[in-house]
Amino acid sequence: MPNSGGSQHSLLGAGSSHGLGGGSNHGLGRGSNHGKSKKAASDSGAKAAATAGNVEKIAAQESKYLTISRIVVIVIILAIAAIVSTGAYLFLDNTEEDNYNDQYEYVTNTAKDAVAFHVNNVYLSVNSLSRILSAEAKSSAQTFPFVTFPIFETLCLNARVQGGFKTITYQPLVNLTNLQQWNNYSHHNQNWMVQSRESAIASSKGAIIPSRYIEQPIPASVYFGFDEGATLAPEYGGDTFMPIWMTSPPPYIPVLINFDLYALLKITIDASISAREPVMAEVQDASAMAGTLLSAEDNDRYHTDVLANNGSQFNPFDHPHTQIFAPVFEDPNDDNSAVVGVIDFVVTWDKYMAGLLPEGTFGVHCVVKNTCGQSYTYKIEGNKAIFLGKGDLHETKFDSTEVVLPFYDLRRPNETTGIWGHCLYSYHMYASQEYEDKYRDKSALGLTMVVASTFFFIIMVFFLYDWFLKRRNSKVLDVAAKTSAIVASLFPTNVRDRLLNAAANDAKTTPTLSDAKSDDTRNRMKLKNFLQSEVEIDSTTNVDDQSNDHAELHVYGSKPIADIFPDTTIMFADIVGFTAWSSTREPSQVFTLLENIYKSFDDIATRRRVFKVETVGDCYVAVCGLPDPRNDHAVVMARFARACLKRMQELVHKLEVMLGPDTADLNMRIGLHSGPVTAGVLRGERARFQLFGDTMNTASRMESNGMKGMIQMSQETADLLTAAGKGSWIFPREDKIVAKGKGSLQTYWLASERPDHGRTSSQVEEQRVATEPNQIRLDKSERLIKWNGDLLLKLLKEIEASRDASLGGLSVEESKYDGTRSGTVLDEVEEIVHLPNFALHQSPNPNTIQLSPEVEDQLLSYIGAVSMLYKDNPFHCFEHASHVTMSVSKLMSRIIAPDLSDEDVGEGNVEALLHDHTYGITSDPLTQFACVFSALIHDVDHTGVPNNQLNRENPQLAEMYGGRSTAEQNSVDLAWKLLMSPDYEALRHAIYKTPDEQARFRQLVVNSVMATDIMDKDLGALRKGRWNRAFSEQSSDNTEDDVNRKATIVMEHLIQASD
């Protein structure tokens, strides 16, 4: 049984092997693979988690750096804020301090000058009056003390005005030996008061009422004391007396005369005699003046009218008054001669405070001090002074601002300063809190706060920006973590790294045109990046270092930026009649039209996503289908062309009032064609985007062979519109056009927004032509009336502005001229039209002048009536007259606004220079109005035939005007008669307001209109002679006739050249 056993063994071995091995292998294999699968999944998850963790770790690290950077930035900003704020405060505070000090120095210097002026006037007046009285006594052979001055009031009035004195009194020196003789002299010579009072009343111009003076004799003897306590000299003692003898102003009550002032002020008077020059006394009580030397009313008037003591709470007599005593010498030329009397000058310090500081200066304190221990305080506010009270009342805080200004002028200071009774006065100026607040308004602190607030705002903006940045970064980080986890879970590490590196490299590289694979991508990259910006030329490329072939192919160092666009529609739009219209317009008017039209087209293009290519002159080129390709380019362009045509027609009607006749006649001629086009940036100086190709040429032919006010398109564009379901928009042109290089082409018209189906182009044209003679012509006439009305209304406003300035507004004084005359219009023609002389005045702006609605209505009515008087013939119709009016206005504007260089103007008056330059036309708006008015009426009722033929056809009219200038005279008469009708009274009064203005206006109109007849021999001879006399060698611009003769020539040539 060995085989069996072997077999069995084999089977057992095989079975064992199969069972164990297979089982084992199967089990291990499956177990092992399953374990690997879990491990791979675990590894993949770990990698994703690790990647996400790495992202978060990197983000955390970067966030840490950002936080540090953020803190550093904030610290830097705060440091800069502190430094800038502190620096700004110090700078502004120092600037404010400097301004304050400079202003205070200026104020005190002004006060110093004012005080010096007052001191000089005071001492000059005092010394002068002393010498004058001595000289007067000597010249009249009078002997002191028995001296009376007949013109004492006149002499003292001048001194009071110059020196600012309130009163002046003269006291002669009387001794005991001649006391009785003086009493007798004063009693017999008291009539001087009558003369002084009469002089004072006359000089006061009604301020002094004569009835205020008390009529009574003076005291019979020298006395001292008041009321019942008065004692006659010499009973009160002493052997020297100085009675008050003469006063200015004359005394209110004569009882003041012979009062012994020496007994009252002996110390000060002795000081004056000892010093032999004027001395100032202590501040005295001035109340004794009330009711004696001055009446209470006169004293109040003096302080109210003369002094600037507004705001004071004190009675005027309580204000400080001081007396100045000046010796009177026996010999006026010898100060060492005997003193024979004194003059007492009473001053109030209010007088010398007024006008001490510049206007607008407030809050400066001035303390008046003297060496006798007295002080009084004022507050100065500009040219006013407010008395604050007795004593030094300035704010002690401002002691450092003290400025001392002496109020004395001593001839011998060393000898007279220490004399007892001689008080030396001085001003002590101080700033105050009010003054400091004005010039130191703490603006430095406010501005510093503004600076600090600005930095605070910057920090807040930084925090806000940082918050948004962190928010965005958080989202980006979240997306990046998720993306990294996905990439890490899908791709092996090496593949993932390569993908990320490639993406990183792509992010660092700017896409170029060569990277684009599709046409759309290339179009967007090429055109969107370069359409609205000029191409920058690579100036660093050295062409000389390259081969000649390469240099020829790439002169800019890079490939050209260009591409082909297969589906586009191009529009050419040209303004019909623009060349002729622009030839008669100012450059500014031409550009006003083009700018308005092109701007409107640009706005429409923006709304409809049409690309504007360029404008060449009056041609507008646009394209649809690039840079963004679109399937409906033909439809969009058709709508765009129709909108442009409609907008053009609206604009020219609105602009006609501004730009003149025929503007509304302008229209567009538009051509459309669809096809491929080459587009790109043509580099070089002023690089720009351009289109090339046959499509451009064909579109141009569509426009040039089109019709006014119509949109012509090619067969290709028409097919596209039909395919888009817009076949109702188009209808064929009956005749084929012959285009250069294209031969005969069938074209189509684009219908208006409300097309009439079934109409041919000939039917459209027939209807347009049929409607023109009626409605269109009527509309044009109304536009011309409005335009002429606006032009003449502007000139009427200039007339009114000139009249308001020069005449101040006149009442209407019109002559009764009604058109009847003994001669003809031709007889009124003058060789010289006299214009007004130049007068410099400030005229109001004519644009601010408002004429009555009645004037405006009558002006438009009159122009309308004139238009009805015109006949419908080619060169003598209302439209032609409007063109002449426009031309005259244009030439007039160049005359009245010539190009003058700065050298021509120099330092002279510009208005006077223009007046001379234009022979006076500039200065007279009435002349300018008359010239334009004459252009408007110059062909009224003209039949369109020469005067010779008109005389044969209308012998009655020829006989009326003597067979000369018949049409022109008839035009003047008809237009003038119409103007003189009652319907235009307000209009006439706006044109002229005096008979002289009416006559000058008539003369200007006659000469201007008659100048249009260039065939009349007598008129030609008159003009030729005028020209020879005006520009001969003997002529000059020095005479009025020469200037007016040249002005007449200019005005007549204006209308001749325009006609």
Side-chain angles (χ1 to χ4, degrees):
M1 301 276 304
N3 291 339
S4 176
S7 175
Q8 186 178 2
H9 175 75
S10 298
L11 290 173
L12 290 173
S16 173
S17 174
H18 173 72
L20 293 174
S24 176
N25 287 340
H26 177 70
L28 291 174
R30 288 180 60 88
S32 175
N33 289 336
H34 182 66
K36 289 181 180 179
S37 178
K38 288 185 176 180
K39 184 178 181 182
S42 176
D43 291 343
S44 178
K47 290 178 181 178
T51 303
N54 289 335
V55 172
E56 293 177 357
K57 182 178 180 181
I58 294 172
Q61 187 68 24
E62 294 298 326
S63 297
K64 179 180 179 181
Y65 294 148
L66 285 175
T67 302
I68 295 174
S69 301
R70 189 182 302 118
I71 295 173
V72 171
V73 170
I74 293 175
V75 171
I76 291 175
I77 293 177
L78 290 175
I80 294 175
I83 294 173
V84 172
S85 300
T86 304
Y89 176 79
L90 294 176
F91 173 77
L92 293 173
D93 187 66
N94 290 336
T95 302
E96 195 175 78
E97 176 73 20
D98 293 340
N99 292 337
Y100 167 77
N101 292 332
D102 292 343
Q103 182 63 25
Y104 186 70
E105 183 179 3
Y106 165 71
V107 166
T108 54
N109 286 337
T110 303
K112 181 179 180 180
D113 295 338
V115 170
F117 175 78
H118 288 319
V119 170
N120 180 69
N121 282 343
V122 166
Y123 280 85
L124 180 63
S125 301
V126 168
N127 291 321
S128 297
L129 184 62
S130 174
R131 296 181 186 277
I132 289 173
L133 294 184
S134 297
E136 185 70 19
K138 186 175 182 180
S139 63
S140 60
Q142 299 183 76
T143 304
F144 287 102
F146 309 107
V147 175
T148 302
F149 306 101
I151 58 172
F152 184 78
E153 175 60 23
T154 302
L155 296 175
C156 291
L157 178 61
N158 294 333
R160 280 194 288 136
V161 172
Q162 181 181 6
F165 306 120
K166 188 173 183 179
T167 62
I168 300 176
T169 61
Y170 163 65
Q171 298 94 33
L173 179 61
V174 179
N175 52 41
L176 191 61
T177 58
N178 56 17
L179 176 62
Q180 187 58 43
Q181 188 179 357
W182 168 257
N183 291 336
N184 295 333
Y185 175 82
S186 64
H187 177 73
H188 289 93
N189 290 275
Q190 60 182 307
N191 286 336
W192 67 267
M193 283 192 299
V194 177
Q195 298 176 4
S196 292
R197 286 177 174 180
E198 291 176 352
S199 178
I201 292 170
S203 62
S204 71
K205 298 181 180 180
I208 297 178
I209 300 175
S211 59
R212 290 178 181 171
Y213 288 117
I214 304 299
E215 299 292 342
Q216 66 181 36
I218 66 174
S221 176
V222 175
Y223 73 97
F224 175 73
F226 302 97
D227 300 330
E228 291 79 6
T231 305
L232 300 179
E235 294 180 7
Y236 50 83
D239 56 359
T240 299
F241 314 95
M242 285 191 174
I244 296 176
W245 174 227
M246 303 188 77
T247 69
S248 176
Y252 166 65
I253 298 178
V255 71
L256 186 64
I257 305 302
N258 271 337
F259 177 83
D260 186 6
L261 197 63
Y262 182 74
L264 181 65
L265 299 171
K266 180 178 184 301
I267 296 176
T268 305
I269 295 176
D270 285 343
S272 175
I273 296 174
S274 174
R276 307 187 72 81
E277 64 176 323
V279 299
M280 302 183 78
E282 294 181 340
V283 173
Q284 302 290 334
D285 181 9
S287 60
M289 293 183 184
T292 55
L293 184 58
L294 294 175
S295 67
E297 293 84 356
D298 290 341
N299 183 75
D300 291 341
R301 179 176 55 83
Y302 177 83
H303 280 270
T304 301
D305 298 343
V306 180
L307 304 181
N309 60 347
N310 298 343
S312 175
Q313 300 177 355
F314 299 87
N315 185 284
F317 285 116
D318 295 332
H319 292 206
H321 291 67
T322 299
Q323 292 170 276
I324 302 176
F325 290 95
V328 178
F329 300 103
E330 186 176 16
D331 187 347
N333 300 318
D334 185 6
D335 290 351
N336 294 319
S337 60
V339 176
V340 294
V342 295
I343 305 175
D344 176 14
F345 301 85
V346 176
V347 299
T348 174
W349 290 103
D350 293 11
K351 178 68 176 179
Y352 303 129
M353 293 295 169
L356 190 63
L357 299 181
E359 184 69 28
T361 303
F362 299 93
V364 176
H365 288 171
C366 180
V367 181
V368 181
K369 296 183 179 181
N370 60 31
T371 55
C372 297
Q374 296 174 309
S375 60
Y376 298 85
T377 304
Y378 286 84
K379 184 172 77 169
I380 312 299
E381 294 186 349
N383 58 357
K384 298 179 181 180
I386 300 175
F387 179 57
L388 299 181
K390 185 177 181 181
D392 187 348
L393 305 179
H394 83 277
E395 301 174 25
T396 56
K397 172 184 175 181
F398 298 95
D399 286 347
S400 61
T401 64
E402 180 185 27
V403 175
V404 180
L405 306 175
F407 198 94
Y408 51 84
D409 183 14
L410 304 177
R411 288 175 294 180
R412 299 187 297 272
N414 296 331
E415 302 174 12
T416 59
T417 300
I419 296 178
W420 178 251
H422 186 187
C423 299
L424 301 178
Y425 285 80
S426 59
Y427 287 177
H428 295 252
M429 311 289 295
Y430 301 93
S432 67
Q433 190 63 52
E434 178 184 359
Y435 181 83
E436 184 182 50
D437 291 342
K438 179 179 180 181
Y439 293 100
R440 300 200 65 183
D441 53 4
K442 310 304 181 185
S443 60
L445 181 60
L447 291 175
T448 302
M449 294 299 296
V450 170
V451 173
S453 300
T454 302
F455 278 99
F456 177 77
F457 176 76
I458 292 174
I459 293 175
M460 291 298 101
V461 171
F462 173 79
F463 276 119
L464 183 62
Y465 170 77
D466 182 65
W467 180 80
F468 281 111
L469 187 63
K470 288 171 64 177
R471 182 183 176 191
R472 189 202 68 173
N473 290 342
S474 176
K475 293 181 178 180
V476 172
L477 179 61
D478 184 52
V479 173
K482 292 178 181 180
T483 302
S484 298
I486 294 172
V487 172
S489 65
L490 294 178
F491 300 99
T493 304
N494 58 340
V495 176
R496 182 202 65 194
D497 293 340
R498 290 179 62 185
L499 288 173
L500 294 177
N501 290 336
N505 292 334
D506 289 342
K508 296 178 181 178
T509 305
T510 302
T512 62
L513 292 175
S514 60
D515 297 326
K517 302 300 181 182
S518 65
D519 291 341
D520 290 348
T521 305
R522 284 200 304 273
N523 291 342
R524 286 193 295 271
M525 291 176 61
K526 288 182 178 181
L527 297 176
K528 285 190 174 180
N529 292 335
F530 297 103
L531 283 182
Q532 298 177 351
S533 64
E534 292 189 357
V535 180
E536 296 182 0
I537 299 174
D538 187 0
S539 59
T540 61
T541 302
N542 190 346
V543 179
D544 295 336
D545 293 340
Q546 303 174 10
S547 66
N548 291 335
D549 292 340
H550 185 74
E552 291 176 0
L553 294 176
H554 302 288
V555 294
Y556 292 103
S558 61
K559 291 183 179 181
I561 304 166
D563 207 342
I564 186 168
F565 294 85
D567 301 311
T568 64
T569 298
I570 297 175
M571 182 191 83
F572 273 73
D574 190 71
I575 303 177
V576 181
F578 176 79
T579 302
W581 179 89
S582 62
S583 63
T584 61
R585 294 315 193 271
E586 295 283 349
S588 60
Q589 293 177 314
V590 173
F591 274 78
T592 297
L593 175 72
L594 294 178
E595 286 178 349
N596 278 276
I597 293 175
Y598 289 165
K599 177 62 169 61
S600 298
F601 288 6
D602 292 345
D603 293 341
I604 299 172
T606 301
R607 292 196 302 271
R608 296 190 178 275
R609 292 170 54 202
V610 171
F611 180 73
K612 171 188 175 182
V613 180
E614 62 181 346
T615 56
V616 181
D618 60 329
C619 183
Y620 188 94
V621 184
V623 61
C624 185
L626 65 83
D628 294 322
R630 53 191 302 175
N631 296 327
D632 60 344
H633 53 88
V635 176
V636 172
M637 185 57 79
R639 288 192 172 118
F640 173 70
R642 204 152 54 183
C644 289
L645 183 62
K646 180 181 178 182
R647 185 56 180 158
M648 167 71 180
Q649 294 168 349
E650 293 173 351
L651 281 174
V652 293
H653 281 79
K654 292 180 180 179
L655 292 172
E656 186 171 45
V657 175
M658 180 191 306
L659 304 181
D662 292 344
T663 302
D665 295 337
L666 298 174
N667 212 324
M668 297 296 295
R669 185 174 59 230
I670 299 177
L672 304 180
H673 178 60
S674 301
V677 67
T678 299
V681 178
L682 188 61
R683 295 178 289 184
E685 289 192 17
R686 296 177 179 84
R688 58 178 178 168
F689 179 77
Q690 290 187 323
L691 307 181
F692 298 94
D694 185 66
T695 302
M696 285 285 288
N697 297 332
T698 304
S700 176
R701 300 295 182 267
M702 292 297 104
E703 176 272 316
S704 61
N705 288 279
M707 290 184 180
K708 174 182 177 181
M710 303 289 286
I711 303 171
Q712 182 172 233
M713 68 183 68
S714 65
Q715 181 71 55
E716 289 80 359
T717 305
D719 292 342
L720 290 173
L721 291 177
T722 302
K726 307 298 181 183
S728 60
W729 288 10
I730 62 175
F731 57 94
R733 180 170 179 169
E734 285 187 341
D735 57 322
K736 293 184 178 182
I737 67 170
V738 179
K740 181 180 178 182
K742 294 291 182 181
S744 179
L745 297 176
Q746 174 64 56
T747 60
Y748 296 82
W749 300 114
L750 179 65
S752 60
E753 294 183 4
R754 295 179 180 177
D756 295 330
H757 298 288
R759 292 198 310 163
T760 63
S761 59
S762 61
Q763 290 172 336
V764 173
E765 181 65 14
E766 287 174 4
Q767 181 178 355
R768 184 177 67 85
V769 173
T771 57
E772 274 189 353
N774 299 312
Q775 184 61 39
I776 296 178
R777 192 172 303 173
L778 180 60
D779 292 343
K780 185 171 185 178
S781 178
E782 291 178 353
R783 295 197 308 269
L784 292 176
I785 292 172
K786 182 67 169 64
W787 182 83
N788 284 290
D790 288 345
L791 178 60
L792 291 174
L793 183 64
K794 178 182 177 182
L795 294 173
L796 281 178
K797 290 183 178 181
E798 293 181 3
I799 293 175
E800 188 65 26
S802 175
R803 183 180 292 133
D804 287 347
S806 59
L807 303 178
L810 292 175
S811 59
V812 178
E813 189 183 350
E814 182 182 358
S815 67
K816 300 304 180 182
Y817 183 81
D818 59 358
T820 60
R821 59 203 176 285
S822 57
T824 63
V825 175
L826 190 61
D827 297 332
E828 298 181 44
V829 176
E830 297 288 347
E831 178 189 358
I832 301 175
V833 178
H834 292 276
L835 302 185
N837 295 326
F838 175 74
L840 182 62
H841 52 260
Q842 186 67 32
S843 300
N845 186 348
N847 294 328
T848 63
I849 298 297
Q850 293 293 332
L851 297 177
S852 67
E854 185 180 11
V855 172
E856 298 184 16
D857 293 341
Q858 291 186 12
L859 177 61
L860 291 176
S861 174
Y862 178 79
I863 297 173
V866 167
S867 71
M868 299 299 293
L869 293 175
Y870 272 91
K871 298 184 182 297
D872 189 12
N873 49 62
F875 295 104
H876 302 280
C877 58
F878 182 62
E879 181 179 354
H880 172 73
S882 298
H883 279 284
V884 176
T885 302
M886 181 180 66
S887 179
V888 168
S889 176
K890 177 180 177 181
L891 295 175
M892 185 79 69
S893 66
R894 294 186 178 182
I895 290 175
I896 66 177
D899 294 330
L900 298 177
S901 64
D902 294 340
E903 183 177 352
D904 295 330
V905 176
E907 297 181 356
N909 182 271
V910 177
E911 292 184 11
L913 184 63
L914 289 176
H915 174 88
D916 296 339
H917 184 85
T918 61
Y919 308 118
I921 298 176
T922 301
S923 307
D924 186 30
L926 181 60
T927 298
Q928 302 165 32
F929 179 87
C931 290
V932 177
F933 179 86
S934 302
L936 180 67
I937 69 165
H938 79 283
D939 273 344
V940 162
D941 198 42
H942 203 295
T943 59
V945 298
N947 279 322
N948 291 336
Q949 183 176 346
L950 178 62
N951 291 337
R952 290 192 297 270
E953 294 176 356
N954 195 339
Q956 183 179 1
L957 192 65
E959 181 181 358
M960 180 178 179
Y961 293 113
R964 295 177 54 199
S965 303
T966 305
E968 290 76 16
Q969 295 190 73
N970 183 50
S971 297
V972 173
D973 276 343
L974 290 177
W976 191 264
K977 185 175 181 180
L978 177 64
L979 183 63
M980 293 299 112
S981 67
D983 294 338
Y984 304 111
E985 181 179 3
L987 175 59
R988 293 198 303 273
H989 294 167
I991 299 173
Y992 53 80
K993 288 198 174 183
T994 66
D996 289 341
E997 287 186 349
Q998 181 187 16
R1000 181 155 54 88
F1001 175 63
R1002 167 76 180 185
Q1003 190 63 61
L1004 288 165
V1005 172
V1006 168
N1007 266 53
S1008 297
V1009 176
M1010 298 310 298
T1012 62
D1013 185 5
I1014 61 175
M1015 302 303 295
D1016 188 270
K1017 295 182 179 179
D1018 292 338
L1019 286 177
L1022 174 64
R1023 288 192 286 267
K1024 184 176 180 180
R1026 181 196 294 135
W1027 180 276
N1028 292 335
R1029 282 185 289 275
F1031 298 102
S1032 64
E1033 295 181 356
Q1034 291 79 18
S1035 175
S1036 67
D1037 291 343
N1038 297 329
T1039 65
E1040 184 177 343
D1041 283 348
D1042 288 335
V1043 173
N1044 287 325
R1045 183 180 289 110
K1046 292 179 180 179
T1048 305
I1049 292 174
V1050 171
M1051 288 184 290
E1052 291 188 359
H1053 275 67
L1054 277 178
I1055 195 167
Q1056 287 176 351
S1058 300
D1059 191 34

